[in-house]
Amino acid sequence: MENLIMIKWGGSLITNKNKPLTPNIGIIKSLVKQIKEIREIKPELKIILGHGSGSFGHSIAAKYQTRDGIKNNVDWIGFSQVWYAVRALNIIVTRALNDLGIPSITFPPSALIKASGGIGVDYFRFPFDTILSTNILPVVHGDVVFDEDLGGTILSTEDIFLFLADFYQPEKIYLAGIEKCIWEDFPENKKPIKKISPKNFLKLQDKIGGSSNVDVTGGMFAKVKLMVDLVTKFPNLKVNIFSGTSPEGLKQEILGQSTGTVIEME
């Protein structure tokens, strides 16, 4: 879709992953302010905003191993608790958007997407198609979903972007986290990787680290792998991975030059 971009605020960015159920309110407000400024400067942009669950979802999901599927009633209780936790963070995010005058509606994957074997396979398109023709900001987030093989599982925000890209084909995807880029030597962080392509990913994949916090969806390597798969499928797509911690970081990335790691075809 022309002028469509997807933006993700990482869970490690908008929450304190070392403290359960702790949002980084200052960062959230800063990111919302930048979204407003970006929309004012480039009103032609269509944005799908996604966010991770950070300390709201990952610790509970790890406790119940929800990503691996539902096997009994205890697992279903965990499924429900993960849903409740990620919804609580989403309310904080959408409240911040509303407070700054940005109309938004959340599309929870648990209610819209059907999965099979841990992969999104179908969803109810009409609401999302409609929202993209308005000035209302659609919001998605990592969430539990019902799965015809596993009973239930978790899709990360990147999983959801991968799924939605089949229908809407964004021009760019921006993944804002706490790290400035992808590192070749994580967690020492002395050797930045400036560009990743499907070709050099094979050489780099053993050097891309996971996560310093609990991440049930696979950490940085899993995120990069999904984005490489997307670029392979849509060769004109570019993915930027960068730090969203500075007051102008997101705005600079979208309106200016890339500061982090770019994933694209060679």
Side-chain angles (χ1 to χ4, degrees), residues 16 36 39 115 129 137 143 153 167 173 193 222 249:
N16 185 334
K36 183 173 183 177
R39 281 162 56 100
D129 288 352
L137 180 68
D143 199 5
T153 187
F167 300 94
I173 295 177
I193 301 173

Side-chain angles (χ1 to χ4, degrees), residues 170-189:
E171 294 182 351
K172 290 187 177 182
I173 295 177
Y174 298 89
L175 305 182
I178 57 174
E179 298 294 339
K180 294 190 296 184
C181 60
I182 306 298
W183 301 99
E184 200 174 307
D185 57 342
F186 182 85
E188 287 78 14
N189 298 350

Side-chain angles (χ1 to χ4, degrees), residues 180-182 193-196 239-241 259-263:
K180 294 190 296 184
C181 60
I182 306 298
I193 301 173
K194 300 303 290 183
K195 182 175 178 179
I196 298 174
V239 180
N240 291 17
I241 300 177
T259 61
T261 299
V262 175
I263 302 176

Side-chain angles (χ1 to χ4, degrees), residues 179 181-182 208-211 215 218-225 241:
E179 298 294 339
C181 60
I182 306 298
I208 298 173
S211 172
D215 191 330
M220 184 56 71
F221 174 79
K223 301 179 197 316
V224 172
K225 176 64 166 61
I241 300 177

